[in-house]
Amino acid sequence: MSQIAFDHVSHRFDAETVVDDVSLVLREHRIGIVGANGSGKSTLARMVNGLVLPTAGRVTVDGLDLARHAREVRRRVGFVFTNADNQIVMPTVREDVAFTLRRHKLPATDAAARVDAVLDRFGLTELADRPAHRLSGGQKQLLAIASVLVAEPDIVVADEPTTLLDARNARRIAEHFASLEQQLIVVSHHLELLEGFDRVIVMEAGRVVADDAPRPALDAYRALIA
Amino acid sequence: MIGVFHPGTSLVHRAPALLKLGLLTLIVTVVAMAPSPIVLGAASVLVIVLVAVARIPLRLAWSQVVPILWVLAVAVPVQVLFGGWEAAAVMAVRLVLAVALAAVYTLTTPVTATLDAMQALLRPFRRWVDADRVGLALALTIRCVPLLADLVREVLEARRARGAEGSLTALAVPVIVRALRTADHLGEALTARGFDD
Ligand SMILES: Nc1ncnc2c1ncn2[C@@H]1O[C@H](COP(=O)(O)OP(=O)(O)OP(=O)(O)O)[C@@H](O)[C@H]1O
Ligand SMILES: [Mg+2]
């Protein structure tokens, strides 16, 4: 597993401090982040691949500072967004997965083999030539995840990947996440998604207020919002 | 609608995208320049043959041409008024032919193949143009068509639900705001996928 380190990290939008002096070292396989709306979870998650840079402090992945090496780190960190519609670029399912690999300059046969393997893994083979924008919400999210994983990242960050899905699709996505060998950081309001995780971080007003195994951390969070 | 690929194994499907693109450009140019009935007739026969060889379902082919008929419904009467029947007919046939030829191309060519063809085409100019970037811009343009169509449909529904049916503001403002926000998200997602220069 990689080591993701937040060293006295803060982030301000104008006058508002959204992330407030957070220090964390993340080495676990599966890490969950929970917290009320606006508590700074998305901002924190985005910092792991440099989509947001801290206004104070340092974020590093295996010692690489995001402020200077965002491009290198991004190659190793995949990001899954809440709304797959914003992430899908190409017209068909297969093309969208293949699109990720365009920057990797692989030989065409290798790229095609990797795309096929990922489509198969996520049960998208049958839909491969369908227009991506006409998939169901659950299928779109599977496609978004497949398009991230085809690049074989070391770390996958997902910001509320199941929020727009019904219970059944949310469970399917959760199962896929559980089967990933990659290091995983998931922001979620679906607390049951995080129960099998190794560590759960609870955010409140930009600060980490609990950081523990899932059971005690989620209990602390439930007490907080009760 | 643009961006719908109809998979197949016909000769038209298998022909190199660059060749198809070249022929498309050539034929559309000829149709546009030479208004003789023989040329237009030959081009019409060609379109029918291509649709048949590519085994494109008639309903799908028809749906590609329908949008242009709406344009013609307005343009033809105007042209009749100013240029007479003959000019109007030639214009209508040319437009339909150009759209049908372009449709045959998009229906039989995956966007990826078009991107690869563009990159091959731009390779000699790589000192001045970034072929990857041109390809990306093209892909995004194609992606935006269904995205924008969905957006307008959703906003129209929301407008109807709120009883603001006549209001242009109630259409334009949310469409523009959401289009800009979508562009923002799409940009962010591209950055996350490593397309960040
Ligand atoms: N681009 C931005 N410009 C200004 N303020 C922002 C921006 N992005 C987020 N914020 C503010 O930062 C705060 C934290 O936002 P963030 O998205 O990190 O919260 P969150 O915990 O992910 O919330 P949610 O559960 O609603 O997704 C919010 O008050 C939000 O208004
Ligand atoms: Mg959020």
Side-chain angles (χ1 to χ4, degrees):
Chain A
M1 297 294 124
S2 301
Q3 171 163 314
I4 302 154
F6 290 79
D7 182 18
H8 293 289
V9 169
S10 297
H11 190 85
R12 307 168 61 106
F13 286 112
D14 304 320
E16 193 189 353
T17 302
V18 184
V19 171
D20 191 2
D21 194 28
V22 169
S23 290
L24 290 166
V25 177
L26 309 174
R27 269 187 273 254
E28 291 76 8
H29 186 178
R30 298 190 187 95
I31 299 143
I33 303 178
V34 297
N37 290 136
S39 55
K41 307 179 297 293
S42 296
T43 309
L44 199 70
R46 281 170 151 72
M47 285 189 200
V48 178
N49 73 347
L51 287 174
V52 173
L53 292 173
T55 46
R58 232 158 57 101
V59 183
T60 58
V61 173
D62 285 338
L64 287 173
D65 188 340
L66 263 301
R68 274 180 296 141
H69 304 281
R71 180 104 46 100
E72 273 159 88
V73 175
R74 250 175 231 144
R75 216 164 287 153
R76 303 177 40 198
V77 182
F79 203 103
V80 177
F81 294 84
T82 309
N83 186 349
D85 265 323
N86 293 331
Q87 194 169 343
I88 294 168
V89 177
M90 296 295 273
T92 67
V93 171
R94 186 196 305 280
E95 286 177 296
D96 193 68
V97 176
F99 175 74
T100 307
L101 293 180
R102 289 188 83 80
R103 277 281 142 124
H104 293 239
K105 309 277 182 221
L106 295 174
T109 47
D110 293 4
R114 251 160 89 167
V115 170
D116 284 341
V118 168
L119 288 174
D120 185 46
R121 171 168 186 184
F122 288 93
L124 294 169
T125 306
E126 307 245 295
L127 304 173
D129 292 314
R130 287 260 214 102
H133 65 274
R134 284 204 216 118
L135 300 179
S136 76
Q139 290 165 338
K140 276 185 193 167
Q141 195 56 285
L142 280 174
L143 170 58
I145 296 169
S147 293
V148 164
L149 284 176
V150 75
E152 300 180 353
D154 301 327
I155 304 168
V156 176
V157 182
D159 189 1
E160 301 193 33
T162 58
T163 298
L164 301 178
L165 306 182
D166 65 30
R168 184 143 133 267
N169 279 309
R171 203 159 51 235
R172 275 183 71 198
I173 299 285
E175 280 160 14
H176 275 292
F177 274 129
S179 73
L180 292 183
E181 58 273 25
Q182 272 91 355
Q183 191 171 10
L184 192 61
I185 299 179
V186 178
V187 176
S188 188
H189 292 295
H190 286 160
L191 304 187
E192 61 286 355
L193 180 69
L194 308 177
E195 269 158 15
F197 277 37
D198 302 303
R199 177 173 175 184
V200 170
I201 290 159
V202 183
M203 302 272 302
E204 169 72 15
R207 290 174 168 275
V208 173
V209 293
D211 177 2
D212 214 326
R215 177 98 32 105
L218 292 175
D219 283 346
Y221 177 54
R222 288 192 188 98
L224 192 71
I225 56 177
Chain B
M1 177 91 45
I2 196 173
V4 205
F5 170 58
H6 183 71
T9 54
S10 76
L11 191 65
V12 188
H13 283 89
R14 281 178 291 135
L18 207 52
L19 177 69
K20 285 193 265 186
L21 216 47
L23 286 176
L24 174 66
T25 316
L26 183 72
I27 299 170
V28 171
T29 312
V30 169
V31 166
M33 307 297 272
S36 88
I38 297 173
V39 170
L40 296 184
S44 310
V45 172
L46 179 70
V47 167
I48 292 165
V49 169
L50 287 175
V51 168
V53 171
R55 295 171 181 277
I56 297 168
L58 279 181
R59 200 143 48 91
L60 187 60
W62 174 243
S63 71
Q64 306 296 305
V65 187
V66 167
I68 194 69
L69 297 182
W70 289 107
V71 176
L72 289 177
V74 178
V76 165
V78 174
Q79 186 76 1
V80 169
L81 221 57
F82 291 103
W85 271 109
E86 207 168 310
V90 168
M91 177 204 65
V93 172
R94 274 174 173 173
L95 261 180
V96 171
L97 277 174
V99 170
L101 282 164
V104 168
Y105 176 82
T106 49
L107 286 172
T108 60
T109 319
V111 172
T112 321
T114 308
L115 295 190
D116 289 340
M118 294 275 298
Q119 277 173 354
L121 202 63
L122 291 173
R123 194 158 302 138
F125 310 102
R126 86 188 113 193
R127 283 182 54 197
W128 302 282
V129 259
D130 180 348
D132 280 341
R133 192 173 291 211
V134 174
L136 184 59
L138 188 69
L140 285 178
T141 311
I142 294 169
R143 168 72 184 125
C144 283
V145 174
L147 217 54
L148 214 56
D150 280 353
L151 215 159
V152 171
R153 190 175 41 74
E154 271 173 37
V155 171
L156 279 175
E157 271 168 14
R159 196 177 67 152
R160 199 171 315 130
R162 296 177 57 187
E165 259 155 318
S167 162
L168 191 62
T169 320
L171 175 65
V173 172
V175 166
I176 291 168
V177 167
R178 288 193 44 193
L180 290 175
R181 189 170 327 133
T182 304
D184 240 19
H185 286 312
L186 212 63
E188 199 174 41
L190 282 170
T191 306
R193 281 172 86 170
F195 294 81
D196 53 351
D197 47 359

